[in-house]
Amino acid sequence: SSELTQDPAVSVALGQTVRITCQGDSLRSYYASWYQQKPGQAPVLVIYGKNNRPSGIPDRFSGSSSGNTASLTITGAQAEDEADYYCNSRDSSGTVVFGGGTKLTVL
Amino acid sequence: QLQLQESGPGLVKPSETLSLTCTVSGGSISSSSYYWGWIRQPPGKGLEWIGSIYYSGSTYYNPSLKSRVTISVDTSKNQFSLKLSSVTAADTAVYYCARLLERLGAFDIWGQGTMVTVSS
C-alpha cells in the first residue's frame, strides 16, 4: 500500500518562512492535502488540491508539489501556527493514506 | 453549517466489537460530491485512515484493517457507522468521522472525535 513520509519535527523563527514536506509515490498522480492539529483538537484542513485554502485559512499557508514530493509553506509563521501538520492523499485504488506528521515549533 | 458528531461507548472489552455512529447535521449525507470517512489517532501518535463510504453504500477500507472493519450508511437517519471487530489494546484511540472530497482525498469537515479505550 502507499506510504507518505514526513520529517518528524521542524522549527521556524517567528515571522520567518517554513516549508514542511511530504514524500510518496502516490503524489506523482494525486494531490496532497494538509491538516493542522493542535493539542486536544480535531485536525483542520488547511490546503487541498493544487493549492486551495478552505474558507478561514490565512493566505500565509500555501501548497505546492513536484514529482513525488508535496510541500506546505507557511510564509511569516505566527505563534498560533505551532501545531502538528499531517499530509494525506489517495491512491489509484481509492484508499487514503496519511503521513506520520510533522511537529512545527515556532521559536 | 455542516456538522459531524461521533457517538458510541467509550470503553470496549478486548475481543469484542467497537461500534460508533457519526450523525451528520446541517446537510445531507446523500450529497453526490462526497464520501464519508472514519479516521483514528492512538494517544500520542499520528492519524490512520480506517475507511470511507458513499451514500449508495460503496466502501473503501484500509487494507491493514479490512478483515475487521465494516462501515455502513443509513441515509434515512443521516448517519454512517463503524464496526471494528476483535479489538485489542492497540485499537485504543480517538476516533474521528469526517467528510471526504473523494476525488482529492481531502477530509474537509471533521467531527470533534471520541475516545475509545479497549480494556477489561
Side-chain angles (χ1 to χ4, degrees), chain B residues 29-90:
Chain B
I29 201 170
S30 300
S31 171
S32 61
S33 303
Y34 301 102
Y35 272 62
W36 306 88
W38 289 98
I39 303 100
R40 70 179 182 178
Q41 186 172 36
K45 295 187 178 181
L47 301 170
E48 180 180 32
W49 173 72
I50 300 171
S52 303
I53 191 165
Y54 195 53
Y55 76 91
S56 64
S58 173
T59 54
Y60 294 109
Y61 294 135
N62 186 324
S64 68
L65 297 170
K66 186 174 184 177
S67 63
R68 298 195 293 132
V69 172
T70 302
I71 298 176
S72 58
V73 63
D74 186 336
T75 56
S76 67
K77 294 182 179 178
N78 232 28
Q79 296 176 333
F80 61 106
S81 298
L82 168 70
K83 291 188 184 300
L84 181 65
S85 64
S86 304
V87 297
T88 69

Side-chain angles (χ1 to χ4, degrees), chain A residues 1 30-31 33 35 37 41-43 45 48-49 86 88 90 93-96 98-100, chain B residues 39 41 45-49 60-61 63 96 101-108 110-112:
Chain A
S1 61
Y30 297 93
Y31 291 117
S33 300
Y35 306 85
Q37 186 180 34
Q41 298 183 19
L45 180 67
Y48 67 99
Y86 294 90
N88 90 304
R90 56 160 293 172
S93 67
T95 60
V96 173
F98 283 93
Chain B
I39 303 100
Q41 186 172 36
K45 295 187 178 181
L47 301 170
E48 180 180 32
W49 173 72
Y60 294 109
Y61 294 135
Y96 296 100
L101 292 161
E102 195 270 342
R103 182 176 62 84
L104 295 174
F107 294 98
D108 64 340
W110 294 64
Q112 66 185 23

